[in-house]
Structure formats: structure tokens, C-alpha cells
């Protein structure tokens, strides 16, 4: 009963536009909302510029590449060459860039339940996976977006065109 009440509280908080997650997206910091319960996100200006740069490189490319749009791997290599630190001061990877490009937090949204744990028993062992769910909560957040909606929509369209389905799923 207690666990269910805690989950319902988090869902209600997300529907109010508050940030209920633990890992803060790159470009933001979590802060306590004044005079009320819950947290929201505040932009970190330097990191917000990097997020905007990632979106611009994905759509328009860079002059060194004759302004041809870059993919996630090429963007990660470029950011590493520019010596821009990640959130954990590590190296940029294709997965991190793809997460930034597809995360709706950057347009001012908050989501919850997008990756629920699915437990599968294989060879007597329990394996956990976190597939993207189709039925998750998406609400308007209380934070400032870093990327405008038109840019984000264009990136999602390009992302869908470039993504290939594995042959075994046909």
C-alpha cells in the first residue's frame, strides 16, 4: 500500500510539471521549488549551448564537413575533439547524443514511465530490460525549454528517416 501511494504521488507530481526523476538531463540542474513541494529543472547556460549545438549539427552539420548533417557518432567525435566535457566529465558517446536528440525534456516536457523494467527468465536467471513503452505520461514541465518545438520536431523526423529496423523484425 505504501509503495502504491508513493508511486501515485510521483505520478501526480509529474502531471503538475515537476521533475520527479533522479538523473538530471544534460543541460539542466535540479532545484527545489520555492514555497511548495517538489523539484523543477533550471538551465545550465554552458551545457544548454552544447545541447543547442548538438541539435544544429544533427540538422545542418558543420563547416568542416561541408555543412552536411552529422549523425550521432560524428557529433560525439566532434564534441570529444572540441574537448567539451560530459555531465560526468567522461567522453561523449553515440548513445548519449541519441538520448539528447530524442529526449522531450529539451522542449519543456516531463515524462514518466517511459522505460519500465521488464523481467525475463532466461536459463533460470532473471534478466532485466528497459524497453521504451508506448503508454507513458507526458506533461508540460515547469522548466524553460532549451530547444524550440520546430527544431525538435525536425530532428525527430530526420531521426525516424535515418533509423533502420533490424532485418529480423521485418
Amino acid at each position: 500500500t505504501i509503495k502504491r501511494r508513493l508511486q501515485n504521488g510521483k505520478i501526480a507530481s509529474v502531471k503538475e510539471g515537476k521533475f520527479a526523476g533522479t538523473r538530471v538531463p544534460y543541460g539542466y540542474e535540479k532545484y527545489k521549488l520555492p514555497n511548495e513541494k517538489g523539484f523543477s529543472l533550471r538551465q545550465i547556460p554552458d551545457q544548454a549551448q552544447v545541447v543547442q549545438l548538438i541539435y544544429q549539427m544533427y540538422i545542418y552539420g558543420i563547416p568542416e564537413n561541408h555543412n552536411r548533417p552529422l549523425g550521432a557518432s560524428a557529433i560525439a567525435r566532434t564534441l570529444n575533439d572540441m574537448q567539451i566535457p560530459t555531465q560526468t566529465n567522461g567522453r561523449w558517446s553515440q548513445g548519449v547524443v541519441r538520448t539528447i536528440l530524442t529526449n522531450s525534456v529539451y522542449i519543456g516536457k516531463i515524462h514518466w514511465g517511459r522505460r519500465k523494467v521488464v523481467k525475463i527468465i532466461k536459463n533460470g536467471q532473471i534478466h532485466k530490460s528497459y524497453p521504451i513503452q508506448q503508454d507513458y505520461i507526458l506533461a508540460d514541465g515547469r522548466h524553460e525549454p532549451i530547444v524550440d518545438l520546430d527544431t525538435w520536431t525536425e530532428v525527430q523526423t530526420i531521426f525516424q528517416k535515418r533509423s533502420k529496423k533490424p532485418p529480423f523484425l521485418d
Side-chain angles (χ1 to χ4, degrees):
T1 305
I2 292 170
K3 196 173 187 180
R4 189 175 66 242
R5 286 180 186 160
L6 287 170
Q7 284 298 321
N8 288 339
K10 281 189 179 182
I11 290 169
S13 182
V14 167
K15 287 180 179 177
E16 292 174 8
K18 298 174 184 173
F19 183 75
T22 53
R23 293 184 63 206
V24 180
Y26 184 83
Y28 288 106
E29 64 183 352
K30 187 164 103 171
Y31 74 97
K32 174 82 172 84
L33 288 167
N35 304 322
E36 61 180 308
K37 291 181 180 179
F39 295 88
S40 188
L41 299 172
R42 181 179 15 227
Q43 287 184 18
I44 302 171
D46 295 342
Q47 291 183 2
Q49 287 179 342
V50 174
V51 171
Q52 290 171 344
L53 177 66
I54 289 170
Y55 277 81
Q56 295 304 314
M57 284 194 286
Y58 195 75
I59 297 171
Y60 304 111
I62 54 174
E64 293 83 25
N65 194 33
H66 307 293
N67 291 328
R68 286 197 335 246
L70 299 178
S73 296
I75 292 171
R77 277 193 304 274
T78 304
L79 293 173
N80 286 326
D81 291 344
M82 294 168 72
Q83 297 181 349
I84 296 174
T86 63
Q87 202 164 22
T88 59
N89 290 326
R91 294 185 53 77
W92 289 92
S93 68
Q94 174 186 0
V96 172
V97 172
R98 287 177 62 195
T99 301
I100 289 173
L101 289 170
T102 57
N103 195 342
S104 58
V105 170
Y106 296 110
I107 56 168
K109 302 284 185 185
I110 296 288
H111 53 78
W112 187 258
R114 189 163 182 242
R115 288 188 175 263
K116 293 180 182 173
V117 64
V118 175
K119 295 178 183 176
I120 302 168
I121 297 177
K122 262 189 194 174
N123 301 330
Q125 299 277 334
I126 296 176
H127 294 276
K128 295 178 183 179
S129 68
Y130 301 89
I132 295 175
Q133 304 294 314
Q134 298 302 317
D135 57 336
Y136 60 91
I137 299 167
L138 185 65
D140 290 331
R142 293 187 176 192
H143 61 281
E144 269 307 302
I146 292 178
V147 179
D148 64 279
L149 184 60
D150 293 335
T151 303
W152 192 81
T153 306
E154 186 175 350
V155 165
Q156 301 317 303
T157 305
I158 294 169
F159 196 80
Q160 291 299 320
K161 285 181 188 174
R162 289 185 186 176
S163 297
K164 293 182 179 146
K165 220 166 146 182
F168 57 84
L169 291 178
D170 286 337

